[in-house]
Amino acid sequence: MADHQEASVTLPSDPASVSAARRYVADILTEWGLPDGADITDTVRLIVSELATNAVQHTFGQSPTFTVDLRLEREERLRLGVTDSHPRWPQRLPAAVQQDNGRGMVIIRWLTAERGGRLSVTPTDEGGKTVWIALPWPAPVQS
């Protein structure tokens, strides 16, 4: 087995792409040996939904696409990244705005911490950013 496996998909910054990203990630996790009904699968799908939604809604048309990257490192850690080309990093919105939205990053941070993971943000060479989530991998990898 290789030290790592990778998968990636680039989608248009359109609301319909959020569900496409979620399905893509679920399919890859299943391919890598994680049962579809596993609790962590639901957690990862929710995280990718929130990150993809942020990439669509909060880039204000300045990022025509977003990319979802998955990396399984040494059958120990799953890294999920969502990259867009907008320069503004994720931030919590002011309380007045949070009535209908603005809690996505709070949810992502909580889910990540609950699973013993980490969240980080890195700049891209093109001026955008990637939001990375690293989580422990709970299942043996399928060959």
Side-chain angles (χ1 to χ4, degrees), residues 23 25-27 29-31 33-42 45:
R23 279 190 309 273
V25 167
D27 290 347
L29 295 180
T30 299
E31 182 180 313
L34 198 58
D36 189 40
D39 286 344
I40 187 129
T41 302
D42 292 337
R45 286 174 21 175

Side-chain angles (χ1 to χ4, degrees), residues 30-107:
T30 299
E31 182 180 313
W32 289 350
L34 198 58
D36 189 40
D39 286 344
I40 187 129
T41 302
D42 292 337
T43 299
V44 172
R45 286 174 21 175
L46 181 53
I47 289 171
V48 78
S49 288
E50 291 293 336
L51 291 175
T53 297
N54 285 352
V56 170
Q57 288 185 346
H58 300 296
T59 58
F60 308 105
Q62 294 182 21
S63 183
T65 63
F66 67 93
T67 300
V68 178
D69 291 298
L70 291 165
R71 297 179 186 166
L72 182 56
E73 300 170 346
R74 293 185 294 276
E75 300 183 29
E76 297 172 355
R77 181 174 53 211
L78 174 69
R79 287 180 47 91
L80 162 69
V82 175
T83 303
D84 64 61
S85 57
H86 193 278
R88 191 178 96 200
W89 286 30
Q91 54 190 310
R92 191 172 181 180
L93 296 177
V97 178
Q98 287 188 352
Q99 298 306 312
D100 295 325
N101 60 29
R103 293 185 274 300
M105 289 307 294
V106 172
I107 292 167

